[in-house]
Amino acid sequence: MKYPRFKRPLLRAASVGFYLIAWHLLSTQHVDLGIVTFQNVPTPGEVFAEGWNLLQSKKTLAHLTASLSRVFGGFVLAGLVGIVLGLCIGSYHLAADLLLPPLELLRPIPAVAWIPLAILMFPSTELSMTYITFTGALFPILLNTIHGVVGVDARLLASARSLGARQLAVFHEVILPGAAQNIFTGLSIGMGTAWFCLVTAEMIAGQFGIGYYTWSAYTIQNYAGIVVGMLLIGGLGLLSSQLVKRLGQALTPWHRPPAKAL
Amino acid sequence: MSHTELGRVDIKDLSITLGRGKQAFEAVQNVSVSIAPGEFICLLGPSGCGKSTLLGALAGHLPASSGSIRVDAKSISGPDSERGIVFQQHTLFPWKSVIDNVAFGLKMQGIPRNVRHEQARDLLKLVGLAGFEEHYPAQLSGGMQQRVEIARVLINSPKVILMDEPFGALDAQTRIMMQQLLLRVWERFNTTIVFVTHDIDEALFLADRILVMSARPGRIIENLAVDFQRPRDAELLTSEAFMHLKRHCLQLLHLR
Ligand SMILES: Nc1ncnc2c1ncn2[C@@H]1O[C@H](COP(=O)(O)OP(=O)(O)OP(=O)(O)O)[C@@H](O)[C@H]1O
Ligand SMILES: [Mg+2]
């Protein structure tokens, strides 16, 4: 059905508003549906107030920097390892045969399942949480890079060689830019999984960080804090994924050429 | 065209096997041909007869199973910028602007950016694309993309240019324009050209000599000199001599 264009943002805002009101009603009335209950769910107002508190608290910055540095540490490492390994595995059969089988065996193990072992393996919990984040981000980045490299048009490689490109030049002039779009897809998925894994790791092993904040809010029965933590995690995850996506678009301008020339 | 020039191609008893194991078959069989420097050769033959395969071997992308290919008495070993190749669908790098695509060969030689851009700009002018330097390939029409492709090959001053149905995907009008452009470029640079087509008119209009290949396995069944005067124009296409040769080609290809 058609309706005037300017009404669309209005409708979208109304849709969000509807859920907010539903949440408000369910939580203020302490609705109990048997299989799910809203008796302990904080109201939007309580959540807002708790969020305001957190903003003014001195600990907030410590929580944020703890989480951000773990995520970016693990993510950057996963990016470097994933891209370099992916380029090699995608380009050389030998590298694929030597490197891929063990990775394929590790891949089905969810990063979260690594937590106990990671705590045993690393002297500091900081390192173990970064490692969990790394493991979570690695596979999407690695697999998308391989996919991108394998998908590079063989005729482009042939042309580059016929124009005088040697192996190293073929790598950075053709294979890397040819796979760039897939690599950025992998990075942006990897950023999502990195947050997911970090939050879980923090809930179990952290002393600071947003995951830790969320879980400790539960243990001290600060129920509004739980929701504030959830919203923070979601918001930060979205923000960093967007950042990666924007970076990808800025670095691959040929994928959105301005209007056709003629 | 003096014989001291570069770009002589000698193909001797060349066979090329494609596929592996049980599926292996000879796509090109026992081809021997000599091409003079600066000669314009058209390869004509039915679909699937091995024209692209032969061209791929000349480019150095496919190994010969027996026989040899020499360019200026030197056996070829893999792809080289002395033998440029142009395909039916362009292979411009989508992530490089038009000028960086054209300048790619010089970049590979380590020539500084301003020098290579200057040469690339001259070549773009030659193929009628001045003003499109900063466009991306995706922003150009099919005919323009092929002109960039030709400029990109020319910048390496290749001895031989290999073309695999380069105008096959263009509309009739653009194709005729591109043929005339190619002849102009060829007359100026005097490189050897091996041009694959299955359009008889195109072969007759362009070539000094047409090599007709048989259906699979590809062998050369006719070596046809085309000595129409140059420069050639569209009028040639309706002349009696042209029709005569065309009839001959049609017969060879069993099309009548
Ligand atoms: N990589 C390959 N492996 C196996 N067979 C192949 C391969 N490439 C091509 N062929 C087969 O080899 C034969 C020759 O192919 P080629 O592409 O050289 O023909 P062509 O003369 O260029 O045809 P067209 O005019 O349709 O382009 C064809 O029968 C084709 O099916
Ligand atoms: Mg072909």
Side-chain angles (χ1 to χ4, degrees), chain B residues 18-19 25 27 45-54 164-165 196 198 216:
Chain B
L18 292 179
F25 66 96
S47 183
C49 73
K51 304 182 293 292
S52 297
T53 306
L54 180 55
D164 196 349
E165 304 187 46
V196 167
H198 40 225
R216 194 168 132 179

mmCIF file of all heavy atoms in Angstrom, chain B residues 18-19 25 27 45-54 164-165 196 198 216, ligand 1:
data_model
loop_
_atom_site.group_PDB
_atom_site.id
_atom_site.type_symbol
_atom_site.label_atom_id
_atom_site.label_comp_id
_atom_site.label_asym_id
_atom_site.label_seq_id
_atom_site.Cartn_x
_atom_site.Cartn_y
_atom_site.Cartn_z
ATOM 1 N N LEU B 18 43.846 -30.406 -22.920
ATOM 2 C CA LEU B 18 43.082 -29.819 -21.811
ATOM 3 C C LEU B 18 42.444 -30.936 -21.000
ATOM 4 O O LEU B 18 42.283 -32.042 -21.479
ATOM 5 C CB LEU B 18 41.988 -28.896 -22.331
ATOM 6 C CG LEU B 18 42.400 -27.605 -23.013
ATOM 7 C CD1 LEU B 18 41.168 -26.845 -23.469
ATOM 8 C CD2 LEU B 18 43.243 -26.743 -22.084
ATOM 9 N N GLY B 19 42.042 -30.624 -19.785
ATOM 10 C CA GLY B 19 41.390 -31.604 -18.924
ATOM 11 C C GLY B 19 42.410 -32.560 -18.345
ATOM 12 O O GLY B 19 43.568 -32.605 -18.774
ATOM 13 N N PHE B 25 41.778 -34.279 -23.385
ATOM 14 C CA PHE B 25 41.592 -34.353 -24.839
ATOM 15 C C PHE B 25 42.446 -33.274 -25.483
ATOM 16 O O PHE B 25 42.833 -32.298 -24.825
ATOM 17 C CB PHE B 25 40.121 -34.148 -25.210
ATOM 18 C CG PHE B 25 39.626 -32.766 -24.898
ATOM 19 C CD1 PHE B 25 39.606 -31.774 -25.878
ATOM 20 C CD2 PHE B 25 39.194 -32.437 -23.604
ATOM 21 C CE1 PHE B 25 39.172 -30.495 -25.574
ATOM 22 C CE2 PHE B 25 38.757 -31.157 -23.307
ATOM 23 C CZ PHE B 25 38.743 -30.193 -24.295
ATOM 24 N N ALA B 27 42.800 -30.185 -27.496
ATOM 25 C CA ALA B 27 41.976 -29.063 -27.948
ATOM 26 C C ALA B 27 42.603 -28.406 -29.177
ATOM 27 O O ALA B 27 41.901 -27.885 -30.033
ATOM 28 C CB ALA B 27 41.824 -28.041 -26.832
ATOM 29 N N GLY B 45 37.063 -19.682 -36.769
ATOM 30 C CA GLY B 45 36.716 -21.092 -36.631
ATOM 31 C C GLY B 45 35.451 -21.261 -35.837
ATOM 32 O O GLY B 45 35.031 -20.350 -35.125
ATOM 33 N N PRO B 46 34.824 -22.444 -35.950
ATOM 34 C CA PRO B 46 33.567 -22.676 -35.245
ATOM 35 C C PRO B 46 33.751 -22.626 -33.731
ATOM 36 O O PRO B 46 34.860 -22.804 -33.231
ATOM 37 C CB PRO B 46 33.149 -24.079 -35.694
ATOM 38 C CG PRO B 46 34.401 -24.719 -36.165
ATOM 39 C CD PRO B 46 35.271 -23.630 -36.688
ATOM 40 N N SER B 47 32.669 -22.421 -33.038
ATOM 41 C CA SER B 47 32.719 -22.338 -31.582
ATOM 42 C C SER B 47 33.255 -23.640 -30.987
ATOM 43 O O SER B 47 32.903 -24.726 -31.434
ATOM 44 C CB SER B 47 31.310 -22.061 -31.050
ATOM 45 O OG SER B 47 31.364 -21.903 -29.659
ATOM 46 N N GLY B 48 34.149 -23.504 -30.021
ATOM 47 C CA GLY B 48 34.684 -24.684 -29.339
ATOM 48 C C GLY B 48 35.815 -25.373 -30.078
ATOM 49 O O GLY B 48 36.251 -26.454 -29.685
ATOM 50 N N CYS B 49 36.356 -24.734 -31.142
ATOM 51 C CA CYS B 49 37.385 -25.416 -31.929
ATOM 52 C C CYS B 49 38.775 -25.220 -31.344
ATOM 53 O O CYS B 49 39.738 -25.827 -31.792
ATOM 54 C CB CYS B 49 37.355 -24.939 -33.381
ATOM 55 S SG CYS B 49 37.998 -23.275 -33.603
ATOM 56 N N GLY B 50 38.915 -24.375 -30.348
ATOM 57 C CA GLY B 50 40.225 -24.232 -29.711
ATOM 58 C C GLY B 50 40.933 -22.914 -29.976
ATOM 59 O O GLY B 50 42.123 -22.778 -29.712
ATOM 60 N N LYS B 51 40.189 -21.918 -30.428
ATOM 61 C CA LYS B 51 40.810 -20.618 -30.707
ATOM 62 C C LYS B 51 41.330 -19.967 -29.424
ATOM 63 O O LYS B 51 42.469 -19.515 -29.355
ATOM 64 C CB LYS B 51 39.794 -19.666 -31.379
ATOM 65 C CG LYS B 51 39.175 -20.225 -32.641
ATOM 66 C CD LYS B 51 38.220 -19.236 -33.289
ATOM 67 C CE LYS B 51 36.966 -18.946 -32.473
ATOM 68 N NZ LYS B 51 36.039 -20.087 -32.362
ATOM 69 N N SER B 52 40.461 -19.951 -28.414
ATOM 70 C CA SER B 52 40.883 -19.345 -27.146
ATOM 71 C C SER B 52 42.028 -20.129 -26.530
ATOM 72 O O SER B 52 42.925 -19.553 -25.903
ATOM 73 C CB SER B 52 39.716 -19.297 -26.167
ATOM 74 O OG SER B 52 38.695 -18.477 -26.663
ATOM 75 N N THR B 53 41.991 -21.430 -26.703
ATOM 76 C CA THR B 53 43.053 -22.273 -26.161
ATOM 77 C C THR B 53 44.389 -21.919 -26.809
ATOM 78 O O THR B 53 45.407 -21.741 -26.128
ATOM 79 C CB THR B 53 42.717 -23.749 -26.415
ATOM 80 O OG1 THR B 53 41.421 -24.015 -25.888
ATOM 81 C CG2 THR B 53 43.730 -24.667 -25.769
ATOM 82 N N LEU B 54 44.380 -21.790 -28.138
ATOM 83 C CA LEU B 54 45.600 -21.432 -28.849
ATOM 84 C C LEU B 54 46.109 -20.058 -28.396
ATOM 85 O O LEU B 54 47.309 -19.872 -28.144
ATOM 86 C CB LEU B 54 45.321 -21.428 -30.364
ATOM 87 C CG LEU B 54 46.477 -21.065 -31.284
ATOM 88 C CD1 LEU B 54 47.683 -21.958 -31.023
ATOM 89 C CD2 LEU B 54 46.059 -21.185 -32.750
ATOM 90 N N ASP B 164 40.992 -11.849 -27.991
ATOM 91 C CA ASP B 164 40.028 -12.946 -28.051
ATOM 92 C C ASP B 164 38.613 -12.395 -28.164
ATOM 93 O O ASP B 164 38.002 -12.037 -27.165
ATOM 94 C CB ASP B 164 40.165 -13.826 -26.795
ATOM 95 C CG ASP B 164 39.472 -15.176 -26.971
ATOM 96 O OD1 ASP B 164 38.724 -15.322 -27.965
ATOM 97 O OD2 ASP B 164 39.675 -16.054 -26.115
ATOM 98 N N GLU B 165 38.121 -12.320 -29.392
ATOM 99 C CA GLU B 165 36.797 -11.737 -29.667
ATOM 100 C C GLU B 165 36.576 -10.451 -28.877
ATOM 101 O O GLU B 165 35.582 -10.325 -28.167
ATOM 102 C CB GLU B 165 35.696 -12.750 -29.328
ATOM 103 C CG GLU B 165 35.866 -14.061 -30.065
ATOM 104 C CD GLU B 165 34.676 -14.989 -29.862
ATOM 105 O OE1 GLU B 165 33.538 -14.493 -29.984
ATOM 106 O OE2 GLU B 165 34.882 -16.175 -29.588
ATOM 107 N N VAL B 196 41.177 -13.242 -32.542
ATOM 108 C CA VAL B 196 40.216 -14.341 -32.660
ATOM 109 C C VAL B 196 38.825 -13.777 -32.890
ATOM 110 O O VAL B 196 38.411 -12.830 -32.242
ATOM 111 C CB VAL B 196 40.204 -15.195 -31.377
ATOM 112 C CG1 VAL B 196 39.006 -16.131 -31.353
ATOM 113 C CG2 VAL B 196 41.498 -15.963 -31.240
ATOM 114 N N HIS B 198 34.625 -15.101 -34.564
ATOM 115 C CA HIS B 198 33.934 -15.983 -35.494
ATOM 116 C C HIS B 198 33.030 -15.206 -36.429
ATOM 117 O O HIS B 198 32.162 -15.761 -37.061
ATOM 118 C CB HIS B 198 33.239 -17.200 -34.856
ATOM 119 C CG HIS B 198 32.533 -16.970 -33.575
ATOM 120 N ND1 HIS B 198 32.663 -17.825 -32.525
ATOM 121 C CD2 HIS B 198 31.707 -16.023 -33.183
ATOM 122 C CE1 HIS B 198 31.924 -17.389 -31.526
ATOM 123 N NE2 HIS B 198 31.338 -16.301 -31.891
ATOM 124 N N ARG B 216 36.765 -29.198 -33.388
ATOM 125 C CA ARG B 216 37.617 -29.910 -32.444
ATOM 126 C C ARG B 216 38.028 -31.285 -32.934
ATOM 127 O O ARG B 216 37.177 -32.005 -33.420
ATOM 128 C CB ARG B 216 36.803 -30.034 -31.140
ATOM 129 C CG ARG B 216 37.585 -30.429 -29.962
ATOM 130 C CD ARG B 216 36.702 -30.196 -28.745
ATOM 131 N NE ARG B 216 36.727 -31.374 -27.895
ATOM 132 C CZ ARG B 216 36.066 -31.462 -26.760
ATOM 133 N NH1 ARG B 216 35.296 -30.475 -26.363
ATOM 134 N NH2 ARG B 216 36.143 -32.542 -26.034
HETATM 135 N N1 LIG C 1 39.603 -25.753 -18.854
HETATM 136 C C1 LIG C 1 39.065 -26.618 -19.725
HETATM 137 N N2 LIG C 1 38.986 -27.928 -19.419
HETATM 138 C C2 LIG C 1 38.440 -28.796 -20.265
HETATM 139 N N3 LIG C 1 37.950 -28.456 -21.463
HETATM 140 C C3 LIG C 1 38.005 -27.164 -21.836
HETATM 141 C C4 LIG C 1 38.544 -26.179 -20.988
HETATM 142 N N4 LIG C 1 38.456 -24.977 -21.620
HETATM 143 C C5 LIG C 1 37.882 -25.226 -22.796
HETATM 144 N N5 LIG C 1 37.595 -26.542 -22.965
HETATM 145 C C6 LIG C 1 37.052 -27.174 -24.157
HETATM 146 O O1 LIG C 1 38.080 -27.077 -25.118
HETATM 147 C C7 LIG C 1 37.560 -26.795 -26.395
HETATM 148 C C8 LIG C 1 38.221 -25.591 -26.981
HETATM 149 O O2 LIG C 1 37.825 -24.451 -26.220
HETATM 150 P P1 LIG C 1 38.128 -22.968 -26.671
HETATM 151 O O3 LIG C 1 37.637 -22.102 -25.587
HETATM 152 O O4 LIG C 1 39.542 -22.861 -27.054
HETATM 153 O O5 LIG C 1 37.210 -22.794 -27.960
HETATM 154 P P2 LIG C 1 36.950 -21.501 -28.834
HETATM 155 O O6 LIG C 1 37.345 -21.836 -30.221
HETATM 156 O O7 LIG C 1 37.584 -20.319 -28.227
HETATM 157 O O8 LIG C 1 35.374 -21.378 -28.759
HETATM 158 P P3 LIG C 1 34.456 -20.050 -28.780
HETATM 159 O O9 LIG C 1 34.448 -19.578 -30.177
HETATM 160 O O10 LIG C 1 33.117 -20.555 -28.360
HETATM 161 O O11 LIG C 1 35.064 -19.094 -27.826
HETATM 162 C C9 LIG C 1 36.063 -26.663 -26.220
HETATM 163 O O12 LIG C 1 35.474 -27.820 -26.715
HETATM 164 C C10 LIG C 1 35.856 -26.506 -24.741
HETATM 165 O O13 LIG C 1 34.656 -27.136 -24.372
#
